[in-house]
């Protein structure tokens, strides 16, 4: 089973994000980066497929600046076999379409039975790259996947996905694109032996030119802003409990407009 | 000048993430429970062994992962970040128990006694300290007398980390005459008749690590469990002190860093006389003093670690680092409790535990006074 796993390096969920003073992006200084958690589910699932079929390969594909090698290396430490790092100034801060184009171009240069993407990245939250990638490659896709079963002859996958309030089970021919959702699995740790072995695993660096693409984004971000700061709460004091209750209900209805 | 960042590369960062996540998932949610219980589940050894954390910098042939000293630094720091020195000390008791085996043992002994411990299936302890003396290793009294293919061991040990449930103890015994030349090391399997845990000791801090008093009555240990030659024990013991002092200095720096971080959080939240504690110059300056001590100590310790890595003899300097780090840890934890006021004295407050856990660091692995004796002999 050959899996291609698309992976993005994102700020750690614990990081306090601040918008830079001119509103063009976030302050990157001091940020700790990790693998996008949904992509980590993808890595784990791909490793399990390789283990189940006792053959194959897990190939990691990531777009990002130099620091993104650490995310690829972490996936290699978990057990993936090799990486492709697309590093090109023209692709930094690009839109999901350009990302999907680059992923598609890189995918076209590799062999795979299945492609995994996280269903979204926790930094910009677009949730579009996976779907666009499938379209560009003219592959079937299943989104928000929580369970994957591959038929022994590797011609199709039976996949469970999240739907409102329940699960849907679908069948999809291979090759296909699956986007991973929380609940798919519990990713393994990058073990110490894995970390040391990963040092020697190959990471192929590529530029936009190597992929034969010239990125033309369809979106342009104009401004970033922080949500408004929370204002102080309102106190109701010096009243009898029944009157407090009435006043609070009135305030919730007329001022906060929540009931 | 090198900054601390230069000591750590990609593999260190990834390992740090692994250990931090391990601590976040497998340790932190249960720390309070384990502290009260006086031990953590044995299962934790296996979980840590499974992902290779117990084998940092051990040879591959015995199930370890050759690494460098900064991987050990990362492991020690991140385990200490659990906020329980006891978990860190108990889980890593192998780091004092196995090095003598590695240094003096035959290939057969290493094959027998190292891999099961690195896998987390067996717990290893080091038995040196006796009721009658601690750092005065040369005068230890536990006696081992050769009888055919066995040594017959009589005596007792105390304050043995992981002692209540160790499967094997690297035991310092007297096989010869008085003084350090009469000391040997035996690996004792704790199911040997004559071995008993006479007491589980209750401590000021490090609650989650079990600590024992052990006694040996006509305990027959196979002679093949002798490490190296008879009389080689003292060297085997002294050989690892440099590393043990490094770990203790790192634990002290990290414990102090945690106390500082908790204090900063608290000073932002807690109000007194109408403003946050942070609004008072006296608090801000105290925090700056704490941060300065932590920073200086950490950088000094890293530098010494780098020199050990480069193969330099750092006995004097690492002893200095241990004195300094454990002293600033006591001071920073004291200040942290002071900033927290009454809450800092309450069990549910992390700095209360850090304050208690800090106290052992200037005692274990050689007291600060012993460190000063070592340093004075080398410099005066």
């Amino acid at each position: 089973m050959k899996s291609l796993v698309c992976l993005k390096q994102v700020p750690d969920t614990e990081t306090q994000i601040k918008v830079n003073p001119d509103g063009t992006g976030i302050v990157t200084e001091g940020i700790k980066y990790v693998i996008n958690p949904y992509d980590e589910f993808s890595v784990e699932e791909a490793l399990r497929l390789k283990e189940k079929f006792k053959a194959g390969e897990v190939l990691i594909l990531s777009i990002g600046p130099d620091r993104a090698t650490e995310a690829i290396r972490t996936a290699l430490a978990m057990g993936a076999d090799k990486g492709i790092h697309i590093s090109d100034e023209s692709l930094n801060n690009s839109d999901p379409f350009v990302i999907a184009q680059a992923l598609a171009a890189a995918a076209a240069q590799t062999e795979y039975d299945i492609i995994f993407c996280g269903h979204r990245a926790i930094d910009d939250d677009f949730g579009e790259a996976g779907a666009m990638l499938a379209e560009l490659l003219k592959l079937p896709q299943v989104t928000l996947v929580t369970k994957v079963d591959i038929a022994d002859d590797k011609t199709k996958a039976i996949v469970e996905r999240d739907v409102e309030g329940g699960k849907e089970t679908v069948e999809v021919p291979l090759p296909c694109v699956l986007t991973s959702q929380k609940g798919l699995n519990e990713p393994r740790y990058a073990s110490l032996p894995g970390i040391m072995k990963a040092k020697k695993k190959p990471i192929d660096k590529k530029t936009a030119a190597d992929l034969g693409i010239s990125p033309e984004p369809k979106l342009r971000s104009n401004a970033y802003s922080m949500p408004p700061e929370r204002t102080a709460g309102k106190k109701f004091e010096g009243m009898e409990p029944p009157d407090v209750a009435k006043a609070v209900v009135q305030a919730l209805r007329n001022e906060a407009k929540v009931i | 000048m090198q900054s601390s960042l230069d000591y750590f590369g990609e593999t260190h960062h990834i390992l740090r993430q692994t250990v931090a996540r391990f601590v976040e998932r497998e340790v932190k949610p249960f720390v309070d429970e384990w502290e009260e219980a006086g031990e953590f589940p044995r299962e934790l050894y296996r979980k840590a062994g499974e992902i290779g954390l117990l084998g940092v910098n051990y040879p591959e042939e015995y199930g370890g992962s050759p690494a460098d000293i900064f991987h050990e630094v990362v492991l020690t720091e991140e385990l200490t970040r659990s906020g329980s020195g006891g978990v860190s000390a108990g889980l890593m008791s192998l780091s004092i128990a196995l090095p003598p085996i590695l240094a003096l043992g035959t290939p057969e002994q290493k094959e027998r006694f190292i891999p099961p411990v690195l896998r987390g299936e067996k717990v290893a302890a080091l038995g040196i300290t006796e009721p009658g003396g601690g750092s005065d290793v040369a005068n230890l009294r536990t006696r081992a007398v050769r009888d055919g293919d066995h040594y017959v061991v009589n005596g007792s040990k105390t304050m043995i980390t992981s002692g209540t449930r160790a499967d094997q103890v690297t035991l310092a015994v007297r096989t010869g005459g008085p003084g350090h030349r009469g000391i040997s090391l035996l690996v004792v399997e704790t199911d040997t008749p004559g071995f008993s845990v006479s007491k589980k000791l209750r401590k000021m801090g490090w609650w989650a690590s079990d600590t024992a008093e052990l006694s040996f009555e006509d305990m027959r240990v196979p002679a093949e469990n002798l490490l190296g030659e008879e009389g080689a024990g003292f060297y085997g013991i002294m050989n690892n002190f440099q590393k043990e002092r490094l770990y203790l200095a790192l634990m002290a720096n990290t414990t102090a860093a945690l106390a500082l971080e908790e204090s900063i959080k608290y000073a932002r939240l807690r109000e007194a006389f109408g403003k946050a504690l942070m609004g008072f110059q006296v608090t801000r300056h105290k925090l700056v003093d704490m941060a300065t001590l932590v920073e200086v100590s950490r950088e000094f310790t890293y530098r010494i670690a780098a020199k050990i890595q480069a193969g330099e003899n750092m006995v004097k300097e690492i002893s200095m680092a241990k004195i300094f780090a454990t002293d600033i840890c006591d001071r920073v934890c004291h200040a942290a409790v002071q900033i927290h006021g009454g809450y800092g004295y309450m069990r549910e407050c992390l700095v209360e535990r850090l304050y208690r856990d800090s106290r052992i660091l200037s005692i274990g692995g050689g007291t600060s006074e012993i460190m000063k004796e070592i340093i004075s002999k080398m410099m005066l």
Side-chain angles (χ1 to χ4, degrees):
Chain A
M1 196 71 197
K2 284 192 173 181
S3 304
L4 178 64
V5 176
C6 303
L7 175 152
K8 184 177 186 182
Q9 190 189 42
V10 297
D12 188 9
T13 44
E14 306 269 302
T15 307
Q16 290 274 348
I17 299 294
K18 284 188 202 125
V19 171
N20 65 20
D22 54 4
T24 55
I26 62 166
V27 179
T28 52
E29 195 176 85
I31 285 185
K32 224 175 77 191
Y33 290 94
V34 296
I35 299 177
N36 175 40
Y38 297 104
D39 299 339
E40 223 179 340
F41 299 137
S42 299
V43 176
E44 177 63 34
E45 201 59 27
L47 291 172
R48 289 184 191 188
L49 288 180
K50 184 185 161 187
E51 285 159 6
K52 185 188 160 198
F53 286 94
K54 297 188 173 62
E57 186 181 73
V58 177
L59 177 60
I60 305 296
L61 174 57
S62 186
I63 302 171
D66 285 345
R67 60 172 159 76
T69 46
E70 194 173 302
I72 299 173
R73 196 73 70 184
T74 305
L76 298 179
M78 287 169 74
D81 299 285
K82 48 190 186 180
I84 299 172
H85 181 188
I86 305 168
S87 181
D88 195 306
E89 191 53 43
S90 68
L91 294 171
N92 293 342
N93 304 315
S94 49
D95 73 346
F97 178 71
V98 166
I99 295 298
Q101 264 189 325
L103 293 175
Q109 298 177 357
T110 66
E111 282 175 41
Y112 52 83
D113 300 306
I114 195 163
I115 299 178
F116 286 99
C117 293
H119 86 87
R120 65 186 164 95
I122 59 155
D123 54 354
D124 58 28
D125 264 342
F126 276 113
E128 295 175 15
M132 287 182 183
L133 171 64
E135 286 302 307
L136 291 170
L137 293 172
K138 301 198 185 329
L139 292 177
Q141 58 172 307
V142 186
T143 56
L144 293 163
V145 165
T146 54
K147 192 175 175 213
V148 180
D149 272 317
I150 306 284
D152 288 338
D153 62 2
K154 291 189 255 179
T155 56
K156 62 178 183 189
I158 311 289
V159 174
E160 261 183 35
R161 58 186 302 275
D162 270 358
V163 289
E164 179 66 38
K167 299 273 180 208
E168 181 184 19
T169 307
V170 298
E171 192 179 304
V172 58
L174 297 184
C176 68
V177 175
L178 303 182
T179 70
S180 308
Q181 164 68 318
K182 192 176 165 71
L184 178 59
N185 52 46
E186 175 86 1
R188 69 195 64 190
Y189 296 98
S191 72
L192 180 63
I195 292 168
M196 301 318 266
K197 269 187 218 129
K199 280 198 293 191
K200 296 190 193 95
K201 291 181 179 174
I203 297 180
D204 199 4
K205 284 236 180 195
K206 291 193 175 180
T207 61
D210 294 335
L211 299 173
I213 55 164
S214 46
E216 284 172 34
K218 295 185 183 296
L219 300 178
R220 194 186 67 225
S221 74
N222 287 343
Y224 284 76
S225 62
M226 295 297 283
E229 293 226 357
R230 270 170 58 178
T231 49
K234 193 169 175 178
K235 279 184 185 169
F236 296 87
E237 286 171 312
M239 288 188 276
E240 290 299 312
D243 299 329
V244 174
K246 270 185 206 156
V248 169
V249 169
Q250 287 299 322
L252 287 173
R253 191 176 176 81
N254 300 330
E255 290 172 41
K257 295 185 172 39
V258 290
I259 54 172
Chain B
M1 261 325 266
Q2 247 182 330
S3 88
S4 71
L5 291 170
D6 300 322
Y7 300 123
F8 302 97
E10 201 171 60
T11 56
H12 303 98
H13 293 155
I14 300 174
L15 179 65
R16 197 181 283 283
Q17 261 180 40
T18 290
V19 187
R21 189 178 282 197
F22 178 80
V23 164
E24 205 59 46
R25 275 194 210 160
E26 315 286 354
V27 180
K28 267 193 178 173
F30 317 106
V31 155
D32 291 346
E33 194 186 311
W34 297 346
E35 283 279 312
E36 294 296 330
E39 61 183 36
F40 55 84
R42 277 189 70 123
E43 179 72 3
L44 195 66
Y45 288 101
R46 204 191 46 72
K47 283 182 179 169
E50 241 169 37
I51 55 172
L53 301 188
L54 303 181
V56 180
N57 229 352
Y58 282 85
E60 215 161 1
E61 52 186 317
Y62 303 119
S65 301
D68 66 42
I69 206 160
F70 283 98
H71 294 99
E72 298 180 58
V73 169
V74 164
L75 178 67
T76 309
E77 288 182 339
E78 291 305 314
L79 285 178
T80 306
R81 284 204 152 265
S82 65
S84 162
V87 170
S88 186
L91 194 61
M92 298 313 291
S93 60
L94 65 97
S95 71
I96 48 177
L98 295 190
I101 303 178
L102 201 57
L104 298 174
T106 61
E108 293 75 31
Q109 287 172 330
K110 292 179 196 176
E111 189 48 57
R112 226 174 110 206
F113 295 121
I114 295 177
V117 176
L118 299 189
R119 285 197 298 267
E121 290 162 10
K122 289 195 170 174
V123 177
L126 175 70
I128 297 179
T129 302
E130 299 188 346
S135 291
D136 190 6
V137 178
N139 287 313
L140 62 83
R141 289 190 197 148
T142 295
R143 184 102 216 148
V145 180
R146 182 80 186 234
D147 177 25
D149 290 341
H150 287 79
Y151 283 96
V152 180
V153 181
N154 280 287
S156 59
K157 297 285 172 183
T158 193
M159 301 179 210
I160 305 306
T161 301
S162 297
T164 72
R165 54 185 181 174
D167 299 291
Q168 65 188 50
V169 180
T170 308
L171 192 69
V173 294
R174 183 166 302 284
T175 48
H180 65 86
R181 286 197 186 85
I183 294 168
S184 303
L185 285 170
L186 290 172
V187 182
V188 175
E189 285 159 295
T190 56
D191 56 2
T192 308
F195 177 96
S196 66
V197 176
S198 38
K199 207 194 243 174
K200 180 171 178 173
L201 299 166
R202 300 173 67 218
K203 308 183 294 298
M204 175 193 274
W206 276 14
W207 288 357
S209 112
D210 65 291
T211 308
E213 192 174 284
L214 307 176
S215 91
F216 322 110
E217 272 182 53
D218 295 329
M219 175 173 73
R220 294 180 68 84
V221 180
E224 66 192 40
N225 290 14
L226 176 74
L227 296 176
E229 307 273 303
E230 269 194 21
F234 192 75
Y235 162 78
I237 295 164
M238 293 301 157
N239 192 37
N240 194 48
F241 272 158
Q242 183 161 286
K243 275 284 187 70
E244 189 183 1
R245 283 166 199 159
L246 172 67
Y247 301 143
L248 286 160
L250 290 165
M251 284 177 88
N253 293 337
T254 310
T255 303
L258 273 179
L260 170 65
E261 288 161 24
E262 287 298 302
S263 302
I264 292 173
K265 270 192 257 169
Y266 189 76
R268 287 214 171 98
L269 281 177
R270 171 74 175 180
E271 290 190 2
F273 308 106
K275 57 179 173 180
L277 286 187
M278 200 62 99
F280 295 91
Q281 191 183 47
V282 68
T283 311
R284 294 196 303 272
H285 285 197
K286 196 190 280 258
L287 290 168
V288 169
D289 287 343
M290 291 158 78
T292 306
L293 292 175
V294 171
E295 196 67 29
V296 169
S297 184
R298 183 161 47 200
E299 291 300 321
F300 180 55
T301 310
Y302 284 168
R303 187 78 188 139
I304 304 306
K307 288 187 171 188
I308 293 175
Q309 167 92 340
E312 291 183 41
N313 182 329
M314 285 284 116
V315 170
K316 184 176 80 189
E317 290 78 3
I318 193 61
S319 305
M320 289 173 171
K322 183 180 182 282
I323 296 172
F324 191 77
T326 58
D327 177 52
I328 70 108
C329 185
D330 277 344
R331 282 154 64 191
V332 170
C333 288
H334 183 279
V337 171
Q338 201 66 24
I339 287 170
H340 281 74
Y343 288 105
Y345 194 66
M346 297 297 133
R347 282 268 186 94
E348 55 262 42
C349 192
L350 177 58
V351 296
E352 182 268 346
R353 187 190 302 146
L354 300 177
Y355 180 91
R356 288 186 288 102
D357 282 355
S358 173
R359 198 61 194 83
I360 185 61
L361 301 173
S362 53
I363 298 171
T367 59
S368 293
E369 292 69 26
I370 292 284
M371 294 300 108
K372 287 177 191 179
E373 276 306 290
I374 293 167
I375 298 164
S376 71
K377 277 180 198 146
M378 297 180 80
M379 64 172 263
L380 301 176

